[in-house]
Amino acid sequence: MERKLLIERSAEGKQSLVLPSCDVPERPIENYIPKNLLRSQECGLPEISEPEVVRHFVNLSTLNHHVDKDFYPLGSCTMKYNPKINDAVAGNPCLAEVHPFQEESTIQSALKIYHDVEQYLCAITGMKRFTLQPAAGSHGELCGVMIMRAYHMAKGNHKTTVLIPDSAHGTNPSSVHLGGYNAVTVKSTQEGLVDLDDLKAKLSDDVAGFMLTNPNTLGIFEKNVLEISELVHSVDGLMYMDGANMNALLGVVKTEAMNFDITHINLHKTFSTPHGGGGPGSGPIGVVEKLVPYLPVPIIEKKNDTYFLDWDQSESIGKMMGFWGNYSVIVRTWVYIRMLGEKGLKDVSKYAIINANYIRASLKDVYDLPFQSPTMHECVFSGDRQKEHGVRTLDIAKRMLDYGVHAPTIYFPLIVHEALMIEPTETESKESLDHFIGIMRAIADESKNNPGIVTSAPQETPVKRLDEVKANRELNVRW
Ligand SMILES: *Cc1c(COP(=O)(O)O)cnc(C)c1O
């Protein structure tokens, strides 16, 4: 179906609107735009050919780094290659041109997609139900904390705190705080795992829950998760899994098997939506059976092959979003899951884990590795050894831009000095991993023998090193 709106100009210079594929009679443009606002002459826009326009935008796009250009190992962010078919399906007018105010009977396909994705996520995690409303991982965390609160209030529990490991993502304490609880930090051990003694010391009847990232932000699987869950459940606390790192767990272990009660999943990371530059996102929340009544309304239900929105949930925390969830991200998730199937999804995690461990093993002789345990989908090095030559992790990250790859996440997690957090994802071939390893080894060598070239990087990028403090304080985003 074509619905282009065209303005045509007759030989006498008269303009009229043409709606090519609709049976609407042509009408003079004055019917749409007041006469005094119409141009009397051509406006003299430059005439540019298609190749010139294409080259302009292609060249612009290469000024920035993106995953279509080269390796993008931004730890914790899961910058995988996103299949283009996702975009083609999400942009299909049959799916893209629906509106949430339409009658339910006219948006059955859209509701089916929401319903299917919920079922897939339940199968992947073992959770009873999901809401697809939250528009980011952090938004999901807030939703999860609100559900935690609703649960404790309904039980008459008086709880004040939520425990969080010191390796947690910064959004965790913010979400806990926004949800009305105090965030209390639990230490990590030398191994990079939750310190069980510190957890026991901080556990009390005041504890509403524990927000744990697994695998944690060091890329390490919390092998004591069952013991942690038992401890937290013993004070009627809820176990919340920050599941942003689900890329490591697909088909490997279910959230339910680790005794978590609530989890969020970042669809834009694990389930493939391009999300550089802060969006778009989707952070669905899954819960065990006893928490289902508190999920946001509406729930998408199916009865006799008809999908509908169920608003009848008296204990619900309410709504988390304007409508029912970030639709285009959810459509991409649907395509991605259906395309890969059960085995394909399991392979995603297997390859993500193998790739991270390959990098870890290939670089540990030249960069410090503060935590020795094998990792899951990412590995965290320290630039401490390079610091002895006056080279900081920030310099290493900038030098990587000269070599044409994106920098990893740096200075996070906070418990690692000069952290370099590398997540290759499953979508990279051995050749591209070897290329990256070669670059990292070259930079380690330069740091020792020619540190100036590292500390003055980048030299090859369109914009050289910024004064980041000034840029933050005096933001100027114009040309
Ligand atoms: C990305 C991430 C989040 C936050 O997700 P957003 O969608 O960016 O809000 C939370 N925790 C971890 C471990 C993450 O990697």
Side-chain angles (χ1 to χ4, degrees):
M1 183 183 60
E2 219 183 30
R3 283 220 253 106
K4 265 191 255 150
L5 198 67
L6 296 177
I7 295 179
E8 255 184 24
R9 192 184 292 271
S10 68
E12 301 84 55
K14 206 164 160 32
Q15 302 170 81
S16 55
L17 267 188
V18 187
L19 303 168
S21 60
C22 306
D23 286 336
V24 180
E26 281 184 32
R27 284 192 234 150
I29 197 161
E30 288 82 351
N31 285 17
Y32 301 92
I33 302 173
K35 213 169 171 174
N36 62 334
L37 296 179
L38 286 175
R39 287 184 194 287
S40 53
Q41 327 170 316
E42 294 281 354
C43 65
L45 288 174
E47 292 287 326
I48 298 175
S49 67
E50 179 173 321
E52 286 170 309
V53 175
V54 171
R55 282 175 197 156
H56 172 72
F57 285 108
V58 167
N59 286 330
L60 266 188
S61 80
T62 60
L63 293 181
N64 225 337
H65 193 87
H66 44 85
V67 79
D68 289 347
K69 201 169 143 183
D70 215 312
F71 193 51
Y72 203 146
L74 202 59
S76 218
C77 296
T78 314
M79 305 304 278
K80 61 170 76 182
Y81 175 80
N82 302 291
K84 298 292 177 259
I85 190 172
N86 291 1
D87 301 333
V89 176
N92 183 313
C94 301
L95 293 176
E97 296 195 3
V98 293
H99 194 281
F101 282 148
Q102 277 175 234
E103 280 289 322
E104 275 171 18
S105 64
T106 66
I107 50 167
Q108 286 294 304
S109 317
L111 295 180
K112 174 181 163 48
I113 289 173
Y114 281 104
H115 195 266
D116 284 354
V117 168
E118 183 187 345
Q119 305 243 299
Y120 300 151
L121 298 182
C122 288
I124 288 166
T125 59
M127 294 283 108
K128 185 74 182 167
R129 296 238 32 185
F130 267 83
T131 171
L132 305 185
Q133 280 184 38
S138 42
H139 198 204
E141 290 166 24
L142 176 63
C143 177
V145 174
M146 287 166 73
I147 290 173
M148 201 181 264
R149 196 173 181 82
Y151 165 81
H152 288 305
M153 280 170 74
K155 285 190 85 177
N157 288 346
H158 295 288
K159 304 282 196 179
T160 54
T161 54
V162 172
L163 303 177
I164 300 181
D166 57 7
S167 58
H169 194 273
T171 51
N172 291 187
S174 328
S175 304
V176 163
H177 190 73
L178 264 181
Y181 290 112
N182 299 320
V184 172
T185 306
V186 178
K187 282 195 226 132
S188 299
T189 60
Q190 295 269 309
E191 255 186 303
L193 299 171
V194 170
D195 183 331
L196 291 178
D197 291 334
D198 197 42
L199 170 62
K200 284 177 198 156
K202 286 171 180 160
L203 206 59
S204 74
D205 286 337
D206 290 340
V207 171
F210 190 21
M211 191 178 262
L212 182 63
T213 310
N214 204 15
N216 66 24
T217 60
L218 297 162
I220 301 172
F221 189 81
E222 288 286 350
K223 61 180 181 194
N224 302 319
V225 64
L226 290 177
E227 194 178 344
I228 295 170
S229 300
E230 202 178 317
L231 285 168
V232 173
H233 285 151
S234 74
V235 295
D236 202 10
L238 294 175
M239 285 294 288
Y240 179 104
M241 180 166 110
D242 176 335
N245 295 339
M246 192 58 78
N247 216 44
L249 300 184
L250 301 172
V252 177
V253 60
K254 290 189 183 190
T255 321
E256 176 207 24
M258 297 181 271
N259 285 340
F260 282 102
D261 304 294
I262 312 175
T263 186
H264 81 253
I265 295 182
N266 283 29
L267 297 187
H268 48 293
K269 294 183 181 170
T270 310
F271 297 99
S272 78
T273 289
H275 59 277
S282 174
I285 280 286
V287 294
V288 293
E289 190 156 15
K290 69 178 175 189
L291 301 176
V292 170
Y294 308 110
L295 283 174
V297 278
I299 301 228
I300 294 161
E301 296 283 13
K302 180 182 179 188
K303 198 170 174 188
N304 303 333
D305 284 339
T306 304
Y307 298 92
F308 63 99
L309 301 169
D310 182 1
W311 294 85
D312 189 18
Q313 309 284 337
S314 61
E315 291 175 272
S316 163
I317 59 165
K319 243 160 138 278
M320 285 304 289
M321 208 199 182
F323 293 107
W324 333 130
N326 204 344
Y327 181 60
S328 83
V329 182
I330 290 161
V331 172
R332 286 174 171 88
T333 300
W334 185 80
V335 178
Y336 185 73
I337 291 178
R338 292 181 69 91
M339 209 168 57
L340 289 179
E342 212 175 306
K343 177 171 182 308
L345 288 179
K346 196 170 178 170
D347 284 345
V348 163
S349 291
K350 281 202 302 203
Y351 291 127
I353 294 169
I354 290 168
N355 285 357
N357 282 286
Y358 182 64
I359 290 183
R360 179 175 162 275
S362 307
L363 291 177
K364 66 178 183 186
D365 59 326
V366 284
Y367 291 95
D368 285 349
L369 194 62
F371 295 99
Q372 296 299 323
S373 336
T375 48
M376 299 289 280
H377 64 305
E378 61 195 1
C379 54
V380 183
F381 291 99
S382 158
D384 260 355
R385 203 183 308 175
Q386 285 67 32
K387 206 173 161 188
E388 289 166 19
H389 307 289
V391 171
R392 303 284 312 266
T393 279
L394 178 69
D395 303 319
I396 297 171
K398 297 290 183 197
R399 184 66 179 145
M400 287 163 76
L401 308 181
D402 281 340
Y403 282 101
V405 295
H406 198 277
T409 298
I410 55 172
Y411 299 112
F412 178 78
L414 302 176
I415 55 173
V416 174
H417 292 165
E418 299 290 319
L420 283 153
M421 184 196 211
I422 297 169
E423 179 180 5
T425 84
E426 73 286 359
T427 55
E428 298 298 334
S429 63
K430 178 165 179 297
E431 287 71 22
S432 71
L433 297 181
D434 285 338
H435 174 65
F436 171 73
I437 289 162
I439 292 170
M440 290 300 283
R441 297 189 73 86
I443 297 175
D445 196 50
E446 287 173 346
S447 301
K448 222 187 314 174
N449 301 317
N450 188 8
I453 200 165
V454 186
T455 52
S456 61
Q459 308 294 345
E460 309 293 332
T461 50
V463 176
K464 305 291 176 284
R465 197 175 297 208
L466 297 174
D467 179 342
E468 298 198 5
V469 176
K470 186 171 156 70
N472 278 322
R473 293 222 173 120
E474 298 166 30
L475 188 66
N476 179 356
V477 289
R478 287 170 304 154
W479 281 114

